[in-house]
Amino acid sequence: MAGQNGASLQMDKDILDALKRIIRIGVVQSFDAVTRKGRVKFEDKNGLKSSELKFIARPRHIAPNKQPPDQEDDLVKIACDHCPHQHEAYVMDWNPKPGAWVLCIMRPDGSGDGYVVGEV
Protein backbone atom coordinates (compact mmCIF):
# COMPACT_ATOMS: atom_id res chain seq x y z
CA MET A 1 0.00 0.00 0.00
CA ALA A 2 1.47 3.26 -1.09
CA GLY A 3 2.11 5.84 1.59
CA GLN A 4 1.99 3.47 4.59
CA ASN A 5 4.99 3.37 6.87
CA GLY A 6 6.40 0.26 8.54
CA ALA A 7 4.63 0.93 11.84
CA SER A 8 1.26 1.16 10.12
CA LEU A 9 1.84 -2.05 8.16
CA GLN A 10 2.84 -3.84 11.37
CA MET A 11 -0.35 -2.62 13.08
CA ASP A 12 -2.43 -3.94 10.16
CA LYS A 13 -0.66 -7.31 10.45
CA ASP A 14 -1.26 -7.41 14.21
CA ILE A 15 -4.97 -6.69 13.72
CA LEU A 16 -5.27 -9.43 11.09
CA ASP A 17 -3.45 -11.92 13.34
CA ALA A 18 -5.83 -11.06 16.23
CA LEU A 19 -8.88 -11.56 14.01
CA LYS A 20 -7.54 -14.98 12.93
CA ARG A 21 -7.37 -16.01 16.60
CA ILE A 22 -10.91 -14.75 17.28
CA ILE A 23 -12.84 -15.90 14.19
CA ARG A 24 -12.29 -19.55 13.24
CA ILE A 25 -13.88 -22.24 11.12
CA GLY A 26 -13.68 -25.81 12.36
CA VAL A 27 -15.24 -29.26 12.27
CA VAL A 28 -17.58 -30.51 15.00
CA GLN A 29 -16.00 -33.41 16.89
CA SER A 30 -18.71 -33.87 19.54
CA PHE A 31 -21.95 -32.23 20.61
CA ASP A 32 -24.25 -32.65 23.63
CA ALA A 33 -27.81 -31.52 22.82
CA VAL A 34 -28.76 -31.21 26.51
CA THR A 35 -25.94 -28.85 27.52
CA ARG A 36 -25.59 -27.31 24.01
CA LYS A 37 -21.81 -27.73 24.31
CA GLY A 38 -19.26 -29.57 22.25
CA ARG A 39 -15.76 -29.69 20.84
CA VAL A 40 -14.47 -28.45 17.49
CA LYS A 41 -11.31 -29.37 15.58
CA PHE A 42 -9.44 -26.58 13.77
CA GLU A 43 -7.68 -27.93 10.68
CA ASP A 44 -5.81 -24.64 10.12
CA LYS A 45 -4.28 -24.98 13.61
CA ASN A 46 -2.71 -28.40 12.89
CA GLY A 47 -5.83 -30.27 14.01
CA LEU A 48 -6.03 -28.53 17.40
CA LYS A 49 -9.20 -29.55 19.28
CA SER A 50 -11.04 -26.89 21.26
CA SER A 51 -12.05 -27.00 24.86
CA GLU A 52 -15.79 -27.38 25.40
CA LEU A 53 -17.49 -24.58 23.42
CA LYS A 54 -21.03 -23.23 23.79
CA PHE A 55 -23.25 -23.61 20.71
CA ILE A 56 -25.33 -20.42 20.63
CA ALA A 57 -27.14 -20.59 17.30
CA ARG A 58 -30.38 -22.50 17.36
CA PRO A 59 -32.04 -22.09 13.99
CA ARG A 60 -35.18 -24.17 13.84
CA HIS A 61 -36.25 -26.21 10.85
CA ILE A 62 -39.29 -28.20 9.78
CA ALA A 63 -38.98 -31.96 9.46
CA PRO A 64 -42.01 -33.49 7.69
CA ASN A 65 -43.26 -36.76 9.19
CA LYS A 66 -40.27 -37.11 11.50
CA GLN A 67 -41.04 -37.10 15.20
CA PRO A 68 -38.02 -36.30 17.35
CA PRO A 69 -38.23 -38.29 20.58
CA ASP A 70 -37.77 -35.26 22.85
CA GLN A 71 -39.88 -32.71 20.99
CA GLU A 72 -43.37 -34.18 20.86
CA ASP A 73 -44.96 -30.79 21.62
CA ASP A 74 -43.46 -29.24 18.48
CA LEU A 75 -45.92 -30.94 16.13
CA VAL A 76 -47.50 -28.56 13.60
CA LYS A 77 -50.22 -29.26 11.06
CA ILE A 78 -49.84 -27.61 7.68
CA ALA A 79 -52.81 -27.15 5.38
CA CYS A 80 -52.30 -28.45 1.86
CA ASP A 81 -53.08 -25.98 -0.96
CA HIS A 82 -53.97 -28.64 -3.51
CA CYS A 83 -55.69 -31.27 -1.36
CA PRO A 84 -58.41 -31.33 1.33
CA HIS A 85 -56.25 -32.55 4.23
CA GLN A 86 -53.39 -31.43 6.45
CA HIS A 87 -49.81 -32.66 6.71
CA GLU A 88 -47.96 -33.18 9.97
CA ALA A 89 -44.45 -31.86 10.53
CA TYR A 90 -42.18 -31.16 13.46
CA VAL A 91 -40.36 -27.92 14.16
CA MET A 92 -36.92 -28.94 15.41
CA ASP A 93 -33.81 -27.27 16.83
CA TRP A 94 -30.52 -27.39 14.93
CA ASN A 95 -28.24 -29.97 16.48
CA PRO A 96 -24.92 -30.25 14.64
CA LYS A 97 -23.57 -33.65 13.75
CA PRO A 98 -19.89 -34.60 14.02
CA GLY A 99 -18.17 -33.61 10.79
CA ALA A 100 -20.22 -30.44 10.26
CA TRP A 101 -18.24 -27.27 9.52
CA VAL A 102 -19.02 -24.44 11.95
CA LEU A 103 -18.10 -20.79 12.53
CA CYS A 104 -16.57 -20.11 15.95
CA ILE A 105 -15.89 -16.92 17.88
CA MET A 106 -13.05 -17.41 20.34
CA ARG A 107 -11.80 -15.24 23.19
CA PRO A 108 -8.61 -13.49 22.04
CA ASP A 109 -6.85 -14.04 25.38
CA GLY A 110 -5.85 -17.61 24.44
CA SER A 111 -8.01 -19.20 27.14
CA GLY A 112 -9.66 -21.48 24.59
CA ASP A 113 -13.11 -20.30 25.63
CA GLY A 114 -15.52 -19.50 22.83
CA TYR A 115 -18.81 -20.00 21.07
CA VAL A 116 -20.07 -21.80 17.99
CA VAL A 117 -22.22 -19.35 16.05
CA GLY A 118 -23.61 -21.72 13.44
CA GLU A 119 -22.98 -24.10 10.58
CA VAL A 120 -21.19 -22.93 7.42
Side-chain angles (χ1 to χ4, degrees):
M1 293 183 206
Q4 279 194 319
N5 61 29
S8 179
L9 288 174
Q10 183 60 42
M11 187 170 69
D12 289 349
K13 183 182 178 310
D14 292 345
I15 291 170
L16 185 59
D17 288 343
L19 287 174
K20 286 179 181 178
R21 286 192 308 274
I22 296 169
I23 302 169
R24 296 185 189 164
I25 294 178
V27 178
V28 174
Q29 295 295 293
S30 63
F31 175 72
D32 182 338
V34 174
T35 63
R36 305 271 327 144
K37 293 181 181 179
R39 297 187 187 276
V40 175
K41 181 178 176 182
F42 300 108
E43 299 293 339
D44 65 334
K45 301 286 184 192
N46 295 321
L48 174 72
K49 290 183 184 172
S50 72
S51 59
E52 202 168 59
L53 301 177
K54 300 161 196 79
F55 284 67
I56 61 173
R58 293 187 73 161
R60 297 177 59 88
H61 63 281
I62 295 175
N65 301 319
K66 181 178 180 186
Q67 180 177 355
D70 60 342
Q71 295 181 340
E72 295 171 2
D73 295 336
D74 290 338
L75 174 66
V76 294
K77 296 193 184 239
I78 302 167
C80 184
D81 291 337
H82 57 276
C83 56
H85 62 278
Q86 295 181 337
H87 296 272
E88 290 185 351
Y90 291 85
V91 179
M92 299 170 51
D93 291 325
W94 168 69
N95 290 319
K97 300 202 179 345
W101 287 87
V102 290
L103 177 67
C104 303
I105 305 294
M106 308 298 290
R107 290 184 54 144
D109 61 7
S111 67
D113 194 20
Y115 303 89
V116 176
V117 178
E119 198 165 346
V120 293

